[in-house]
Amino acid sequence: MIQRIKRMLGIGKPDPTQGNSLIINIERLERRVALLENGILEEYTVEREGDQNIVGSIFKGRVKNIEPGLKAMFVDIGQDKNAFLHFWDAIPAALDAGLEEIEREGRPKKQQKKITSKDIPDIYPVGSEIMIQVSKGPIGTKGPRVTTNISLAGRYLVLMPYTEQFGISRKIEDPKERQRLRKIVQKLSVPEGMGIIMRTVAQGTRARHFVRDLAMLLEQWQEVEEKRDSHPAPVCTYQEPGLIESTARDFLTDEVEQVLCDDLATTEKIREIAGKISRRAKRRIHHLAAAPTPIFEKVGIQKQIDEAFSRQVWLPCGGYIVIDETEALISIDVNTGRNRGSKDVDKMILETNVEAAVEVARQLRLRNIGGLVVVDFIDMRHRKDQQAVYKAMKDRLKKDKAKTQVLQISPIGLMEMTRQRLNESLRETMFEPCPYCQGRGRVKTTMTMSVEIQRKLNSVIQKHRESLGDIVVVVNADVLNRFKTEDSHLLVDIERQHSGRLIFRSDPSLHRERFAIIDAATDRAIEQN
C-alpha cells in the first residue's frame, strides 16, 4: 500500500512490474502504447505514420442511396468507401442499460414525437445532408458504420448535442456518491436541447472539474457547428484525437499509477494534457531517457507483444488455448496440455478452464478481436464448475472497455459471447495475407501437384498427338524432386504413350501450385496454371 501511494504521488523510482503502468514508445514511423497490470500486458495499441483512425470522428455527409431491403442507407463522407447507416442507428437512441437517467432540475421532460425506422427515408432522402459520427471503422471490405446519435467524450463527461437526456454510469455503485453526482449534474449549465452523461471516472471528482470539462466540450461542439455551417458536404467536422491525446484522456485515471515514455517532447505533451485535468496526475508521468535497450524490451514486454500473435497460448497450469480468427467468428479451443498431474480429474479440468477463461478475456482485449466468439471449454460434469468458469470470465471482462455479452456454457461445453469491434484487430493491423498461400495458411502438397500435372499431361498428349513433339514441363523445385523419386516410373509410362520426349525443368521462383507445359519446338505455352 505504501509503495502504491508513492507511485500515485510520483515519488521514488518508477517500477512497471508493480501496479498499473502505461508504457509509451515513440518512433519515427510508429507510436506504441502498452497498458501493464503488475508487469502483465493487458492492452496494446499501435498508431503508424499515415494511419487515420476515424472512429469517433464527426462528418457532415450526403445520402448517396437508400436500400429498403437492408433497412440502411449509404452516406458519402469523403472517404474511399461510403459509410453504412442502418435505419436503427438513425433513430434517436435511449440511454443504454449501463446508465441511470437523471431528470433535469426545473425543466419538465419534453414529449418528443416517436420516430420509427419507417420514417428515416423521409427524414433523410437521397441527396440530403446528414450529420453522423463513425461508430465502427472500416474493416476488411466493409466501409465505416455510422450513427446520427452524436456524442463528444471529455475527461469526466460525455456531451450529447442532439438529445436532452442526462445520465450517470451504473458502474459507480456507492449510493452516497451517486447522490452527490446527481446533484452536480442537475446544477450544470447545459444548453437547451443538449444532454450529458457522467463517466465512471467521475467518481470522487469535485464539481469544478465537471464545470471545466463541460466548458471544453461545449467549445469543441461550437467548432464542429462552425465547420458544419461553413463547408459543403462531405466534410469532417471533428477529428478524434490521435493515440497520445486519447491515451492521456482515457487512461490517466487513479487506476493508472505511472506513465513511462521514451520521448521527451511527448512526455511534456502528456504532462500538459494531464495538467488540465489534475496536478497530481502530472507527477505520475516520467520520461525514461533514451538507452541502448528499447523501452519495451527494458521493461520486459516485447516478448509478451510477440506472443500476442501466436495461435497457441500457454496457461500457468500447463494447459493451453488455441485462437483462430475467421471472417465470421473467433474460435478458441481449450486443452489440458501438460496439466495431467492431479489425481482429481474434475479439479484439474476446472483449474484449466478457469485459467483459460481469464486468459481468453485478456487475449480478446490485447489482440483487439471481437464479433462473435465461441470458446470450447473442456467438458465439465458439475454445474457449479461451469458457473465458476462463467463467473471468472465475467469478472475478467469488467476491465474491458469494449461492450461484451456472455452466455452461459451450453450442455456441449461451448461458451458463446460477443465483443464490440470498433477497429481492425491487432493481427489485421500488423500483418497482411501471405502472398504465397493468399492467406489460406495451406498450399497443395507435392503429391497433389504431381497428380494434377500428370492428368494435364495426359490430356495435352491426347489432344495434340499428331502435331506435338518434345514437351517441356516447368515446375516448382519441390515438385520436380518428387518427379525424380517417387513418381519417376509413372512419368516414364506417360512418355511411352507420346511420340516425343518429356523434358522436366525446375524454376525455384515458381509457386508450388503453378506449372507450365511448353511446346519445345516453338517455345509456346500449351497449358499454364
Side-chain angles (χ1 to χ4, degrees), residues 23 31 43 99 124 135 211 217 219 251 270 286 302 340 358 371-372 389 404 413 421 444 449 492 505 511 513:
I23 314 297
R31 291 162 291 281
E43 283 193 34
L99 299 165
Y124 304 112
S135 56
V211 174
L217 288 171
E219 191 178 314
F251 281 116
I270 297 171
H286 307 277
Q302 186 59 52
R340 303 181 188 277
V358 171
L372 180 61
V389 173
T404 55
R421 183 163 59 180
K444 290 180 180 178
M449 291 310 302
V492 169
R505 292 178 188 162
H511 192 291
E513 297 178 6

Side-chain angles (χ1 to χ4, degrees), residues 209-273:
H209 293 297
F210 296 112
V211 174
R212 190 164 54 191
D213 206 28
L214 178 60
M216 288 170 65
L217 288 171
L218 291 173
E219 191 178 314
Q220 278 183 357
W221 180 246
Q222 189 178 353
E223 291 173 6
V224 171
E225 290 183 312
E226 287 172 1
K227 202 164 184 181
R228 176 196 66 190
D229 298 338
S230 59
H231 291 78
V235 61
C236 178
T237 58
Y238 170 77
Q239 178 69 49
E240 184 69 11
L243 178 62
I244 302 305
E245 292 87 344
S246 59
T247 296
R249 181 189 69 192
D250 297 338
F251 281 116
L252 281 182
T253 64
D254 285 341
E255 291 179 0
V256 174
E257 296 161 22
Q258 54 200 347
V259 178
L260 302 179
C261 178
D262 62 358
D263 180 71
L264 183 58
T266 305
T267 306
E268 292 302 327
K269 186 177 182 181
I270 297 171
R271 281 175 179 158
E272 185 184 338
I273 296 168

Side-chain angles (χ1 to χ4, degrees), residues 322-345:
V322 177
I323 304 172
D324 286 309
E325 292 184 49
T326 71
E327 187 73 24
L329 56 82
I330 312 298
S331 70
I332 302 174
D333 186 34
V334 182
N335 297 286
T336 53
R338 297 190 292 259
N339 187 14
R340 303 181 188 277
S342 176
K343 293 180 181 178
D344 187 339
V345 176

Side-chain angles (χ1 to χ4, degrees), residues 427-470:
R427 188 187 74 164
E428 293 299 315
T429 303
M430 306 289 287
F431 292 82
E432 62 182 19
C434 169
Y436 198 88
C437 72
Q438 305 302 318
R440 290 177 301 173
R442 295 282 189 275
V443 290
K444 290 180 180 178
T445 64
T446 54
M447 183 175 181
T448 303
M449 291 310 302
S450 177
V451 170
E452 288 185 9
I453 293 168
Q454 289 178 57
R455 188 180 295 136
K456 191 62 69 176
L457 270 172
N458 280 318
S459 175
V460 166
I461 289 169
Q462 292 298 324
K463 192 174 181 181
H464 303 279
R465 182 176 292 278
E466 301 301 325
S467 59
L468 199 57
D470 292 350

Side-chain angles (χ1 to χ4, degrees), residues 17-18 37 70 83 109 119 162 173 189 223 239 247 264 338 361 387 392 404 430 507:
T17 62
Q18 299 296 321
E37 291 183 10
L70 293 174
K109 193 175 180 180
D119 303 321
Y162 294 141
E173 296 175 350
S189 301
E223 291 173 6
Q239 178 69 49
T247 296
L264 183 58
R338 297 190 292 259
Q387 282 297 112
T404 55
M430 306 289 287
D507 182 350

